[in-house]
Structure formats: structure tokens, C-alpha cells
């Protein structure tokens, strides 16, 4: 009983010391996102358990070595007592670890769920990974950049894909990590809410070839005002005249995959000389191509099909995708192709 009391006190003391050591060596970098708080809580709980188990084992071993060692006058050199089984002990050392493991898997699942909470006003950023670069696109502003700019205290939804092999998006200060896979069927999402303004680095955490170690890109977390300034500056650099704006839009949105600008036949009619022309439609009627017809053809592409072209090919979500201003720019561009 005396030994048990001493060992218990020593275990408590060494648990506190070991945990203090683990907390103070700075194993984890600064905690810079809401998701990081969740992960760190889990880490800290683990640190406590690790400290306790380490102390429990080391204290018992060292205590036994010292206190129960063979003393100088001990003449007994025979074998120790032969013990064949102890049901209570066996049940205890099975049930306690079982409960501990189940408890931690519950904590893990709960924390994972907490890092995947989606906020409706999240900022959208499309991330493209490739050998060996990161590329970021802000669909709401039509900005493309190789540096990830983020406003503080606002959730960002990263929609990620790779153009070649498997990469992994990892900013240690944000804790959460996500593999980035090639192929349209494997688009991955990651949710981040940066909480500390500062400069960070996104690394690739999946070995992806020769320059894997150098696949870093800057991440800048800025105040909401500074972020808006950055967006405005970027937008100021964008083409202002409707024709160039329209040209940029049709290139970015893949329209040029089906519609040529030089008269070449494609899946859809060419834009060259289209504006002002008279077209025969699949229902036998004819139409003069004007602003109204072009607008309708973009937002409701299956209503008035030009004769000879297939229906249900063009995406039908452009009404949501393009603003009125963008539609006018696209039409201005088509108009310019005479
Ligand atoms: Cu990309 Cu490693």
C-alpha cells in the first residue's frame, strides 16, 4: 500500500512534467485558423494521455529497479514466484485500453466533423495543383494568381484538383490537410477560416516527383479591407472594354471549345459573321441574330437550336453563371467578329 501511494504520487508529478515539456517544445506552429483550434484540442488531449502512459510505465520500472533491487545481504538467488493468471488484472488491462481507444475514435470523428462545417458565405477559391506549382482562381472575381490571398475571419472553400499526379495541400498553421487528386471525379474540398493575419506557405505533403520539396506557394492572410483593396486592384487590371472582356469570358468558360471565332465548324455554330445573319432553326423557322437572340441562346440554349446542330449539348447554367454585364460583353465580342 505504501509503494502504491508513492508510485501514484510520482506518476502524477511526472505526468505534469512530461506534459509541460511537450507543450513547451513548440511541436506545433502558431494556430492560425478556426479548424486549427479543433485539431490542437485533440492534440493536447493526446499529449496528456501520452504523458500519463509514459510516466506510468517509467515510474513503475525505475521505482522497482531501485526499491526492489537485490540488497547486499540477500542470499536468495532462486527463481521468482511463478504466477499463472489473474482474471481481474487481465480484464482491467483489456477494458481500460478498449474504452480509451473508443473514446479517442469518438473524439477524432467529432473533431473531423467540426473541421468540415460549411458556412454559406464562404469565399470560393479553385485550387489547381501540378508538377510543381499551385494555382489559385477566384471564380467570384475572375482573378487568377499563384499566391493564395485570404481575408481573415471569413471561411474559404477550396475546391481542389490536380492536372497530373496526387499532391497534398497543407498549410501547417491551418493544420487541416487535403490530398489533391487528378480527374474530374475526384475534386476535393477543404474548408479554412484563417484567424491570424500574416504570411504563410502552402506546401505539398505528398511525394509527387523531383521538385516535390519545392512545391511551395505564399499564402497571405489579410484584413477584410486589405483583401477588398487587393481584389479592386486586380479587377482594375482587367480589360475594361466589353469586347476584350467578352473574349476573356468565352476563353475562361470554355465556350471556345465548341464555337470558333474564325468560321471553322465546331460542335456549335461559329461566331464569325454570326451577328446580323439570318439562321434557319431546327423547327423550320428563321431568325435574325440580334442581341435578344444571342442572350436567349446563351441562357436557354435548348430553345432555339440552329438547324443541323445537336440539342442538349450546351451547358444550361449560364443564366446563373453570367451577370447581365458579362452577357453584354460576350455579345459585344461576338458582334465584333464580322
Ligand atoms: Cu506536389 Cu508533392
Amino acid at each position: 500500500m505504501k509503494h502504491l501511494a508513492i508510485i501514484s504520487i510520482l506518476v502524477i508529478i511526472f505526468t505534469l512534467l512530461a506534459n509541460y515539456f511537450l507543450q513547451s517544445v513548440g511541436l506545433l506552429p502558431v494556430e492560425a485558423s478556426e479548424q486549427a483550434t479543433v485539431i490542437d484540442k485533440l492534440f493536447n488531449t493526446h499529449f496528456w494521455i501520452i504523458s500519463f502512459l509514459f510516466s506510468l510505465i517509467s515510474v513503475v520500472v525505475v521505482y522497482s529497479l531501485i526499491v526492489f533491487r537485490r540488497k547486499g545481504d540477500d542470499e536468495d538467488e532462486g527463481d521468482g514466484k511463478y504466477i499463472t493468471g489473474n482474471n481481474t488484472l487481465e480484464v482491467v488491462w483489456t477494458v481500460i485500453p478498449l474504452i480509451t481507444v473508443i473514446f479517442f475514435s469518438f473524439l477524432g470523428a467529432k473533431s473531423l466533423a467540426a473541421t468540415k462545417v460549411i458556412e454559406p458565405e464562404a469565399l470560393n477559391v479553385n485550387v489547381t495543383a501540378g508538377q510543381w506549382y499551385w494555382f489559385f482562381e477566384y471564380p467570384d472575381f475572375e482573378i487568377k494568381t499563384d499566391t493564395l490571398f485570404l481575408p481573415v475571419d471569413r471561411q474559404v472553400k477550396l475546391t481542389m484538383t490536380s492536372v497530373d499526379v496526387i499532391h497534398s495541400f497543407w498549410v501547417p498553421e491551418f493544420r487541416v490537410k487535403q490530398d489533391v487528386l487528378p480527374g474530374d471525379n475526384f475534386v476535393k474540398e477543404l474548408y479554412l477560416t484563417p484567424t491570424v493575419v500574416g504570411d504563410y506557405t502552402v506546401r505539398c505533403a505528398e511525394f509527387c516527383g523531383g521538385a516535390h520539396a519545392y512545391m511551395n506557394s505564399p499564402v497571405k492572410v489579410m484584413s477584410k479591407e486589405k483583401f477588398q483593396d487587393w481584389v479592386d486592384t486586380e479587377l482594375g487590371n482587367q480589360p475594361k472594354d466589353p469586347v476584350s472582356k467578352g473574349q476573356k469570358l468565352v476563353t475562361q468558360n470554355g465556350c471556345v471549345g465548341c464555337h470558333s471565332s474564325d468560321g471553322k465548324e465546331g460542335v456549335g455554330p461559329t461566331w464569325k459573321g454570326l451577328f446580323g445573319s439570318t439562321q434557319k432553326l431546327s423547327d423550320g423557322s428563321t431568325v435574325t441574330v440580334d442581341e435578344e437572340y444571342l442572350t436567349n441562346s446563351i441562357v436557354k440554349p435548348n430553345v432555339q437550336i440552329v438547324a443541323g446542330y445537336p440539342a442538349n449539348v450546351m451547358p444550361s447554367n449560364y443564366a446563373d453563371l453570367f451577370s447581365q454585364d458579362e452577357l453584354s460583353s460576350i455579345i459585344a465580342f461576338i458582334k465584333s467578329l464580322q
Side-chain angles (χ1 to χ4, degrees):
M1 212 55 211
K2 190 190 94 192
H3 294 305
L4 201 62
I6 297 174
I7 285 176
S8 303
I9 292 167
L10 286 174
V11 166
I12 291 172
I13 293 171
F14 279 95
T15 301
L16 293 170
L17 285 175
N19 187 65
Y20 176 76
F21 172 76
L22 283 175
Q23 300 288 358
S24 59
V25 287
L27 285 176
L28 301 171
V30 62
E31 185 181 289
S33 78
E34 269 176 26
Q35 290 71 19
T37 329
V38 179
I39 305 280
D40 284 6
K41 238 190 217 163
L42 195 60
F43 253 103
N44 289 335
T45 317
H46 276 95
F47 282 168
W48 276 113
I49 300 289
I50 291 166
S51 308
F52 170 70
L53 289 177
F54 172 78
S55 308
L56 182 68
I57 294 163
S58 337
V59 165
V60 173
V61 168
V62 175
Y63 187 87
S64 308
L65 277 174
I66 296 168
V67 177
F68 303 120
R69 74 183 187 280
R70 192 165 151 243
K71 306 274 165 33
D73 55 352
D74 191 351
E75 294 297 320
D76 185 5
E77 286 184 6
D79 290 339
K81 198 170 156 198
Y82 185 59
I83 301 168
T84 50
N86 185 326
N87 282 343
T88 318
L89 194 60
E90 284 162 21
V91 167
V92 166
W93 78 37
T94 306
V95 170
I96 291 181
L98 184 70
I99 292 173
T100 311
V101 168
I102 291 173
F103 172 67
F104 270 101
S105 58
F106 165 74
L107 276 190
K110 213 177 121 203
S111 308
L112 187 65
T115 63
K116 291 187 184 297
V117 172
I118 305 168
E119 282 160 24
E121 71 279 12
L123 170 74
N124 285 303
V125 179
N126 297 334
V127 180
T128 308
Q131 283 169 318
W132 288 271
Y133 61 87
W134 296 101
F135 186 70
F136 308 101
E137 195 189 339
Y138 297 73
D140 302 342
F141 314 114
E142 294 169 38
I143 296 173
K144 295 174 178 184
T145 160
D146 53 6
T147 298
L148 181 58
F149 292 90
L150 298 174
V152 74
D153 294 330
R154 177 176 172 192
Q155 192 180 62
V156 53
K157 176 187 169 197
L158 302 173
T159 307
M160 309 200 281
T161 187
S162 162
V163 295
D164 37 50
V165 299
I166 301 176
H167 302 274
S168 184
F169 182 97
W170 186 39
V171 180
E173 290 83 357
F174 299 159
R175 302 293 190 272
V176 282
K177 189 196 271 178
Q178 174 63 54
D179 274 6
V180 185
L181 312 181
D184 292 343
N185 296 328
F186 301 107
V187 174
K188 294 288 169 190
E189 290 176 355
L190 186 66
Y191 300 91
L192 286 174
T193 315
T195 48
V196 182
V197 171
D199 290 350
Y200 310 99
T201 304
V202 51
R203 292 147 213 282
C204 178
E206 186 74 52
F207 180 63
C208 55
H212 153 75
Y214 307 104
M215 194 171 151
N216 299 336
S217 274
V219 177
K220 285 184 186 297
V221 175
M222 37 210 335
S223 68
K224 286 192 172 124
E225 297 72 32
K226 283 231 172 86
F227 179 77
Q228 194 51 51
D229 279 354
W230 171 74
V231 170
D232 292 342
T233 318
E234 287 292 311
L235 293 181
N237 294 337
Q238 314 234 0
K240 282 204 184 73
D241 71 296
V243 173
S244 331
K245 221 173 134 185
Q247 185 171 19
K248 199 173 168 194
L249 282 168
V250 295
T251 314
Q252 280 174 352
N253 289 283
C255 313
V256 291
C258 296
H259 301 278
S260 74
S261 304
D262 55 5
K264 224 183 265 161
E265 275 303 313
V267 178
T270 180
W271 290 326
K272 185 159 176 77
L274 182 63
F275 194 84
S277 68
T278 305
Q279 297 287 335
K280 203 164 172 253
L281 301 182
S282 54
D283 64 358
S285 63
T286 53
V287 70
T288 304
V289 178
D290 54 10
E291 271 101 352
E292 194 193 337
Y293 171 74
L294 285 177
T295 310
N296 287 337
S297 299
I298 296 169
V299 299
K300 287 182 190 146
N302 291 316
V303 179
Q304 293 174 293
I305 305 276
V306 175
Y309 290 96
N312 300 316
V313 170
M314 185 156 146
S316 49
N317 62 337
Y318 289 132
D320 305 323
L321 207 64
F322 293 135
S323 66
Q324 209 53 49
D325 179 59
E326 287 171 327
L327 282 174
S328 316
S329 304
I330 292 171
I331 291 167
F333 171 65
I334 296 174
K335 227 168 155 179
S336 75
L337 297 168
Q338 292 303 321

